[in-house]
Amino acid sequence: MVWQNGQTKKHSGFTLVELMIVVAIVGILAAIAMPMYRDYVIRSHLANAVNGIGATQAQMEQYYQDNRTYADTGNFVAPCSGTYGEFTVSCTGTRDATQYTLSITATTGPATGFTYTVNQADTKTTTFGPAWSNATVQNCWSTNKGGAC
């Protein structure tokens, strides 16, 4: 645009095309970053599950050393419960003098549906929640989306 005195006017600001390019770039970065961040948050919560079930397993073995049974005896109750963050530990299945199965499950938070189990023979299982495809991993407690131990 030329003014009356012959000088040209400089335009300031952004055009709509420039603005749309920036919005598209931010959208692409967000589409990549958000799933990665969500997985990171879930993995950080899974540490509570692994620590909780490991601690309860150690308590069950100590109980067995003291009482020679995994079952409740008289005034002594086996340590089959506890809460670790949003995870809750419980004894599942048959629990008697020679066997037990512990399970820890999240019912709230980003790790909802994730379950870890272990028995007296140290057989471990991981069941991922719906955030990670509900897959099951045998023989370990996995905290990786791919199921690696």
Side-chain angles (χ1 to χ4, degrees):
M1 171 180 263
V2 178
W3 289 0
Q4 290 177 356
N5 62 3
Q7 295 178 341
T8 59
K9 178 183 173 187
K10 285 189 170 185
H11 294 282
S12 61
F14 300 106
T15 66
L16 184 59
V17 172
E18 292 170 331
L19 185 60
M20 293 306 293
I21 290 171
V22 169
V23 168
I25 291 171
V26 168
I28 291 169
L29 291 175
I32 294 169
M34 289 306 291
M36 293 175 72
Y37 176 73
R38 189 176 116 240
D39 290 345
Y40 173 77
V41 169
I42 290 172
R43 280 196 339 260
S44 70
H45 285 260
L46 296 180
N48 285 334
V50 172
N51 292 337
I53 197 165
T56 307
Q57 179 186 19
Q59 292 170 354
M60 286 296 286
E61 295 303 328
Q62 181 63 48
Y63 181 85
Y64 183 82
Q65 291 295 317
D66 294 342
N67 300 295
R68 296 290 180 219
T69 182
Y70 294 113
D72 296 338
T73 57
N75 294 333
F76 300 104
V77 178
C80 278
S81 62
T83 302
Y84 298 88
E86 67 272 6
F87 288 89
T88 303
V89 177
S90 62
C91 283
T92 58
T94 304
R95 183 169 53 93
D96 58 24
T98 60
Q99 64 183 2
Y100 71 88
T101 302
L102 288 175
S103 177
I104 189 165
T105 304
T107 55
T108 62
T112 299
F114 284 73
T115 302
Y116 292 89
T117 60
V118 66
N119 64 14
Q120 77 286 343
D122 201 35
T123 303
K124 300 173 181 176
T125 304
T126 302
T127 303
F128 295 135
W132 285 359
S133 75
N134 294 318
T136 299
V137 178
Q138 300 292 331
N139 303 320
C140 74
W141 294 326
S142 177
T143 58
N144 296 316
K145 187 173 185 178
C149 297

